[in-house]
Amino acid sequence: MGYPCTICGACCRNIGGVKELAAFDLGNGVCRHLDQQTQRCLIYENRPQICRVDEMYEKVFYQHYNLEEFYALNLKACQMLQEKEGVKSLHEPDD
């Protein structure tokens, strides 16, 4: 099934400080490959490994977490970014 990305673009608007993505930063923390209108990655098929949650788990983080824990950590980070960006969290049910 894979990581349940909501394609809101919040992570792509907050890459400042991620050393692996420094070359993609427009200078304001936004990835140069984010389509601002659709919130979709313009290089999705060729995006960096750091942008691939499942691949990062399989190659690095499987040593530290089980998949459920890793997804939970990523979902928590996603929710924090969505809150910062004013995006209604798409990972939680409506109140």
Side-chain angles (χ1 to χ4, degrees):
M1 181 174 128
Y3 180 74
C5 178
T6 63
I7 312 172
C8 71
C11 59
C12 303
R13 290 188 300 273
N14 288 278
I15 67 168
V18 179
K19 67 180 180 175
E20 296 88 350
L21 297 175
F24 298 99
D25 193 335
L26 287 171
N28 59 358
V30 176
C31 180
R32 70 179 64 254
H33 298 293
L34 176 66
D35 182 317
Q36 295 287 333
Q37 292 182 328
T38 65
Q39 302 307 310
R40 296 191 181 256
C41 179
L42 297 171
I43 62 165
Y44 186 80
E45 293 302 320
N46 297 309
R47 70 195 186 281
Q49 184 174 336
I50 193 81
C51 299
R52 300 169 185 256
V53 174
D54 290 309
E55 278 189 34
M56 288 301 295
Y57 175 75
E58 291 172 8
K59 292 187 177 188
V60 179
F61 292 99
Y62 74 94
Q63 299 173 35
H64 308 285
Y65 307 98
N66 68 41
L67 186 59
E68 184 177 298
E69 293 169 326
F70 187 66
Y71 278 4
L73 289 170
N74 278 273
L75 288 170
K76 183 176 180 180
C78 178
Q79 289 167 344
M80 289 172 41
L81 290 173
Q82 287 177 337
E83 184 176 310
K84 175 186 174 204
E85 293 286 319
V87 175
K88 179 173 173 17
S89 178
L90 302 172
H91 291 297
E92 295 182 2
D94 292 331
D95 293 330

